[in-house]
Amino acid sequence: MRAFIDLLVSAEVLTRESLRLLRELGFSGVGASVSVKRLISDPAASLEALRNLKAEGEAEGIDVISRITVDEPMREGSLKKILRKFRRRVEVVSVCALDRKLTAFACRDARVDVITLLPGSRLLRGDLAYIREYGKAVEVLVAPLQAEDPLASAKALAYYSGVMELLGRKKMVHALILSSGATSPSALRDPRSMASLLSLMGLSYDAALDAVSANAARLVAECRDKLTGAVPVRGVRVLRVGGDDR
């Protein structure tokens, strides 16, 4: 049985009611995302909000995954400071591929877990090599496909169809995650209708379902293992036998 995860929903959207709605829609997990701007403006409040959401998620029977999303351009040095300070305070860190320098840095820095593609984002050969090497996820969003402007929606569909073709050609479909990117409760969708959008772009329906279930679940498990020290570096797992680390 599949466990569905919507890995990108704005933390400001998530309340007891919206968590309950997500569970009713069929999700077992949700990524509660704090934007980098909000994080910088009030770190303590942002982290406290994520802790409270995790507690509320437990009460509602849905796994809340804490996440920071770098969704505006910033210098490499500024992003490094954020990663040093907050990487171990949340479970998932993502960077939107907004410009070439930011994208290149996010792909080659192992502390970034997810590269979020927006219409117009570009991934070069070197970016894909780092994504593969570090086991990062490539995330696409439902939100741009639901734009009020039909032309913008059509452009997003064409762009993401190209992404599906690229990942298929590079045999990296397993790295694909589909999230809603919801910034309001009305933007939340059930996982199977989300997967249907990917199937319209040339992806098989099973692979599309994996993008909202198995692929996201695998990434979250790996991120949590790294935080606990069970996997200090990719490919190395610390086993505890009889209370001793081996």
Side-chain angles (χ1 to χ4, degrees), residues 108-170:
R108 69 175 184 265
D109 193 298
R111 294 169 294 182
V112 176
D113 309 301
V114 180
I115 306 300
T116 302
L117 300 183
L118 303 174
S121 297
R122 292 180 62 214
L123 288 180
L124 302 184
R125 182 182 301 176
D127 301 330
L128 292 167
Y130 281 119
I131 288 169
R132 190 194 300 273
E133 178 181 353
Y134 291 123
K136 297 174 186 282
V138 176
E139 181 179 55
V140 299
L141 304 178
V142 173
L145 299 168
Q146 298 177 324
E148 292 184 6
D149 178 4
L151 181 58
S153 181
K155 287 182 177 179
L157 180 62
Y159 169 75
Y160 282 148
S161 295
V163 172
M164 299 307 109
E165 190 277 332
L166 173 65
L167 294 179
R169 181 159 40 87
K170 296 295 184 179

Side-chain angles (χ1 to χ4, degrees), residues 52-64:
N52 291 339
L53 282 171
K54 288 184 77 68
E56 290 180 359
E58 289 182 11
E60 292 298 330
I62 187 166
D63 182 18
V64 174

Side-chain angles (χ1 to χ4, degrees), residues 1 3 10 36 44 47 54 72 146 182-183 198 219 224 229 232 241:
M1 184 175 178
S10 172
V36 69
L47 296 173
K54 288 184 77 68
E72 60 182 50
Q146 298 177 324
T183 56
L198 283 186
L219 176 86
R224 286 173 169 170
V241 181

Side-chain angles (χ1 to χ4, degrees), residues 10 19 35 73 90 95 111 113 123 142 148 159 166 171 176 207 218 221 228-229 236 242:
S10 172
L19 288 169
S35 70
V90 297
V95 174
R111 294 169 294 182
D113 309 301
L123 288 180
V142 173
E148 292 184 6
Y159 169 75
L166 173 65
K171 294 181 170 49
L176 177 67
R218 182 175 60 250
T228 61
V236 176

